[in-house]
Amino acid sequence: MHQKTFYLKNESDTCALGKSLAAVLKAGLKIYLHGDLGAGKTTLIRAMLKEAGHKGKVKSPTYTLVEPYSIDLNNRPVDLLHFDLYRLGCPEEFLEAGFREHFNEKTICFIEWAEKADPELPPPDLVISLEVTGDGRTACLKASSDKGSHCLENLRFLPHS
Ligand SMILES: Nc1ncnc2c1ncn2[C@@H]1O[C@H](COP(=O)(O)OP(=O)(O)OP(=O)(O)O)[C@@H](O)[C@H]1O
Ligand SMILES: [Mg+2]
């Protein structure tokens, strides 16, 4: 399956990658983000949401576990869920909270710390790993479905700096 790696020199580059992602979103996409605390997962998602037309604040869902948004795709509203499962006690909690219901062909899900809900999560379409590299970050994007591959093929990343 498709894979792309980028070096993100600074926060602006991370935001630029987030913006590029906004242009290739499709209903039903499941995108999981990996990387240590402070790797840049929320920064990337925040930039993506702003580019996708979200006007308000984008909070890190560290305590709420999930924040819901609505974005416009081809003039249609699409629900987008931003999860941060770092504080999930155990994988079963993911099911008990009813989170599984959000995973369908109509909704877009971005998940930070998806590994905390393993094995209760459905498989992702795209996995983004962020790794601290010197002063910057290395972003590795891996498609794991046709939908994810399509998304990666269309991705046009323009570093900001
Ligand atoms: N490419 C980059 N180079 C250097 N610093 C960056 C880069 N991208 C983001 N940062 C910085 O790294 C930090 C990332 O914080 P952020 O909250 O996005 O991380 P996170 O991966 O969501 O962490 P957590 O797991 O705690 O939710 C911010 O301080 C941001 O300014
Ligand atoms: Mg975060």
Side-chain angles (χ1 to χ4, degrees):
M1 281 279 175
H2 227 93
Q3 177 170 337
K4 284 184 180 174
T5 302
F6 303 111
Y7 181 64
L8 310 172
K9 189 165 92 179
N10 51 33
E11 183 176 349
S12 298
D13 278 356
T14 305
C15 293
L17 180 59
K19 281 187 179 183
S20 320
L21 262 183
V24 294
L25 291 180
K26 291 269 182 302
L29 266 178
K30 298 181 286 295
I31 302 183
Y32 299 175
L33 292 97
H34 296 290
D36 287 342
L37 294 168
K41 303 177 292 296
T42 302
T43 304
L44 188 137
I45 292 170
R46 187 174 285 131
M48 174 280 297
L49 278 165
K50 291 205 166 147
E51 184 68 9
H54 175 70
K55 297 277 184 278
K57 273 189 77 165
V58 176
K59 291 184 280 179
S60 176
T62 311
Y63 293 96
T64 52
L65 299 179
V66 62
E67 287 290 335
Y69 299 91
S70 177
I71 61 164
D72 262 11
L73 283 186
N74 305 319
N75 295 319
R76 287 197 185 168
V78 172
D79 289 330
L80 186 154
L81 283 310
H82 174 197
F83 291 90
D84 179 342
L85 302 179
Y86 187 70
R87 288 180 187 274
L88 199 71
C90 60
E92 293 69 39
E93 232 177 74
F94 179 82
L95 299 180
E96 286 158 15
F99 290 159
R100 195 69 167 75
E101 291 159 32
H102 295 300
F103 289 72
N104 56 56
E105 286 312 303
K106 290 188 191 153
T107 304
I108 298 173
C109 290
F110 276 78
I111 310 192
E112 299 183 41
W113 295 103
E115 53 269 48
K116 297 273 181 181
D118 214 25
E120 304 299 350
L121 278 178
D125 297 296
L126 195 62
V127 175
I128 302 177
S129 308
L130 291 165
E131 198 181 340
V132 175
T133 311
D135 290 339
R137 308 286 187 265
T138 302
C140 180
L141 290 77
K142 271 188 204 163
S144 44
S145 72
D146 288 345
K147 198 166 189 149
S149 269
H150 191 251
C151 179
L152 257 196
E153 270 161 30
N154 290 328
L155 186 79
R156 297 286 169 267
F157 171 55
L158 299 168
H160 194 263
S161 41

